[in-house]
Amino acid sequence: MAFSNGAVLVLSGPSGAGKSSLIKKIEKDIGDYYFSISTTTRGIREGETDGVEYHFVDEEEFKKDIENDYFLEYALVHGNYYGTSLKHVKNALADGKLVLFDIDVQGNTAITNRLGDITTSVFITPPTLSELKSRLINRSTDANSAIERRLKMAKKEIQRISEYDYLIINDDFEKAAEKLCLIAKTARLKKPLDKINRLIQEWEDIE
Ligand code: 5GP
């Protein structure tokens, strides 16, 4: 795929790692970006709005979208489907935007496979599992069973940190935001292979 102007920044890490707050903190400093709003079959939480955090749909609609090849990638996470629409991402990349994804490790693999040469990935985590647990309990948006499931998932995901370009341990929010901002700015400098090849060709063509 030729998405010559834009770049991709994938953020992964357990729910409760602080990804959304970090994005909010740096958004004014990273230039024109598009936050990819995923589609999900999970129930809407208090404080969430359809079309803002996610597009909330039922399983039947999600499966229809799979059949219609609507997704760049999708995955079953914590028993619910989550997926990324291809069309919006394509448009944002063509406009030269930095496309931000908040997706799980499976999603990172899929995006890296399809858009690897313009993708930078970063894994964000709280300092310890017990810190993660208390953040999830304090947030109190999930039932106990959901919290347990997220903690189990976090243990699994952490095994795959080495698949990411960067790791941010979010124990000091300001410092973590500073690091993420730097990574986002650097991500924009990544150039797709087609651009590199064109440049090489142009240089070869000059006598
Ligand atoms: P939550 O339900 O807490 O908002 O998100 C649960 C998990 O789903 C998080 O790890 C988040 O990164 C992941 N997720 C959200 N959207 C997508 C998506 O479009 N694709 C994939 N693969 N994972 C997603």
Side-chain angles (χ1 to χ4, degrees), residues 136-206:
L136 289 176
I137 291 169
N138 289 337
R139 191 165 81 168
S140 68
T141 48
D142 292 313
N144 280 351
S145 57
I147 292 178
E148 285 311 316
R149 210 170 45 225
R150 285 177 195 285
L151 290 173
K152 237 175 156 172
M153 183 77 175
K155 275 189 180 174
K156 261 204 203 146
E157 287 202 339
I158 245 142
Q159 314 277 331
R160 294 179 60 181
I161 285 180
S162 61
E163 294 172 28
Y164 287 78
D165 297 315
Y166 299 100
L167 165 66
I168 294 179
I169 297 173
N170 184 8
D171 49 357
D172 177 325
F173 182 74
E174 294 298 324
K175 279 192 185 144
E178 234 171 73
K179 285 179 192 164
L180 187 59
C181 192
L182 261 180
I183 292 168
K185 287 178 177 171
T186 311
R188 276 193 188 280
L189 302 177
K190 250 192 161 176
K191 287 287 156 266
L193 265 182
D194 62 343
K195 216 169 207 171
I196 294 170
N197 289 337
R198 219 177 309 133
L199 184 80
I200 293 172
Q201 194 57 52
E202 279 166 15
W203 279 45
E204 273 180 357
D205 290 346
I206 297 170

Side-chain angles (χ1 to χ4, degrees), residues 37-45 48-58 61:
I37 301 170
S38 301
T39 303
T40 184
T41 59
R42 94 145 151 72
I44 190 162
R45 287 188 197 134
E48 288 182 333
T49 311
D50 187 23
V52 176
E53 287 82 9
Y54 289 104
H55 300 291
F56 294 93
V57 298
D58 61 23
E61 194 175 341

Side-chain angles (χ1 to χ4, degrees), residues 11-15 19 36-40 42 45 48 54 73-78 80 82-85 101-108 139 142 150 153 157:
L11 308 177
S12 299
S15 333
K19 287 171 289 180
S36 168
I37 301 170
S38 301
T39 303
T40 184
R42 94 145 151 72
R45 287 188 197 134
E48 288 182 333
Y54 289 104
E73 64 79 41
Y74 69 91
L76 197 58
V77 186
H78 310 310
N80 295 305
Y82 293 82
T84 309
S85 134
F101 289 96
D102 173 354
I103 50 175
D104 75 331
V105 288
Q106 306 171 71
N108 177 49
R139 191 165 81 168
D142 292 313
R150 285 177 195 285
M153 183 77 175
E157 287 202 339

Side-chain angles (χ1 to χ4, degrees), residues 8-23:
V8 172
L9 181 62
V10 173
L11 308 177
S12 299
S15 333
K19 287 171 289 180
S20 319
S21 318
L22 285 169
I23 293 171

